Amino acid sequence: MLVARSELLEVKKRTELYLSLSRFDAAEKLLKATLADYGPLANIHNLLGLTYHKQSKFSEAIKEFNQALIVNPEFVEAALNLAATLCDVSRYEEATQVFTKLEERVGDRQRQPGLVLGRLANMHVASGHAYVESGMLNEAIQEYRKALALYDKMPDVKLSLAKLYVKVGQNEKAKQEFEDLVKDSPEISDAHTWLGILQYKLGHRDLAKRHWEKAQETAPDDSTARAYLKFVHSWNGRSKASED
């Protein structure tokens, strides 16, 4: 049975209204009735998946997003929602495979896997920021890690993750993140500054000085790095005086 575009648009509007009011049962009833009347429709399966996702019914959501992609294998939004839900249940490899399959299907007409993965990763970044604002740092760390597992070309997120590791006292993990960051993005002065702080705490003063100098070289106006270098110079001065 054919369904008019206007009817689908009305179903979509009503569903969005129900979801905004947390009337999940009403949304579910409407969408299932639409599928019963008109047969498989990618948009409707996608909306039903979103309805389940908002209730944390992840298994049901995954099933509906998959159904949407069966109806329309090139449905980017459904693929995005499916991958996001797979990440929610820590199935990262499957999430990446979703986009690999999508890229194979759309061919040269729509080859933007990086863009799509970036959009998905940004969802986790936004959640991470929200957790930070709420003081839920461990939860924020998990969200940033999910984002970087999907799309690692986000040095600002790596920097935020490393700083969070410092805040929760996981200095070794923070040091590893900062080391990776200065290797991949040496232009980020803040990463050198923080790595210098960690090296100093570990007793590696020469390494600390080297990173603070690099931070100052990269960003001459970096007042934090300048302050630490003054500290190093004063310490060196005191050491020399004691020797005399």
Side-chain angles (χ1 to χ4, degrees):
M1 182 184 298
L2 295 177
V3 55
R5 184 179 181 83
S6 59
E7 292 180 53
L8 280 180
L9 184 59
E10 181 60 28
V11 170
K12 183 175 184 293
K13 288 181 178 178
R14 287 174 60 191
T15 299
E16 290 174 346
L17 175 61
Y18 288 145
L19 295 181
S20 69
L21 298 172
S22 297
R23 295 182 57 189
F24 303 121
D25 289 345
E28 212 174 307
K29 183 178 179 180
L30 172 63
L31 294 169
K32 287 182 176 180
T34 303
L35 291 171
D37 289 341
Y38 299 105
L41 296 169
N43 286 334
I44 302 302
H45 281 295
N46 183 59
L47 286 171
L48 187 53
L50 287 172
T51 301
Y52 285 133
H53 186 275
K54 285 183 175 292
Q55 301 173 79
S56 297
K57 296 180 178 180
F58 298 127
S59 295
E60 293 90 334
I62 289 171
K63 178 180 178 182
E64 293 302 324
F65 294 138
N66 271 319
Q67 190 60 42
L69 288 170
I70 290 174
V71 178
N72 180 5
E74 299 178 11
F75 194 173
V76 174
E77 184 180 351
L80 186 65
N81 291 331
L82 173 59
T85 309
L86 289 168
C87 285
D88 284 327
V89 293
S90 301
R91 292 160 62 178
Y92 305 116
E93 186 175 343
E94 290 179 62
T96 303
Q97 290 173 355
V98 169
F99 292 110
T100 300
K101 291 179 181 178
L102 180 65
E103 183 185 14
E104 293 171 353
R105 288 164 177 163
V106 300
D108 294 331
R109 291 177 290 112
Q110 197 175 331
R111 280 186 182 271
Q112 294 179 310
L115 176 61
V116 177
L117 283 173
R119 286 173 58 195
L120 175 60
N122 280 331
M123 293 181 181
H124 289 293
V125 173
S127 295
H129 292 341
Y131 279 127
V132 170
E133 291 176 0
S134 301
M136 303 171 69
L137 302 188
N138 288 317
E139 289 79 0
I141 286 172
Q142 293 304 315
E143 289 300 315
Y144 289 150
R145 288 181 61 187
K146 288 178 183 179
L148 291 169
L150 287 167
Y151 192 74
D152 63 357
K153 297 178 178 63
M154 297 186 292
D156 57 324
V157 179
K158 290 183 180 181
L159 183 62
S160 296
L161 174 61
K163 288 180 178 180
L164 282 183
Y165 276 137
V166 174
K167 286 186 177 181
V168 300
Q170 298 187 40
N171 289 336
E172 282 300 323
K173 288 186 177 180
K175 180 173 171 288
Q176 183 62 57
E177 291 294 337
F178 283 126
E179 286 177 343
D180 291 344
L181 192 54
V182 298
K183 179 181 178 181
D184 297 335
S185 304
E187 74 282 358
I188 299 180
S189 63
D190 208 13
H192 285 286
T193 299
W194 277 87
L195 184 53
I197 294 170
L198 288 176
Q199 294 288 15
Y200 183 82
K201 287 182 176 180
L202 293 171
H204 305 152
R205 291 177 172 174
D206 288 340
L207 285 176
K209 179 175 178 289
R210 190 181 310 165
H211 282 293
W212 289 333
E213 287 175 339
K214 185 63 177 179
Q216 187 77 102
E217 176 188 331
T218 305
D221 295 330
D222 188 335
S223 59
T224 303
R226 189 184 308 122
Y228 279 113
L229 283 174
K230 286 182 179 179
F231 165 71
V232 169
H233 294 151
S234 67
W235 181 81
N236 287 338
R238 288 195 300 272
S239 297
K240 185 176 180 181
S242 64
E243 290 174 1
D244 294 338

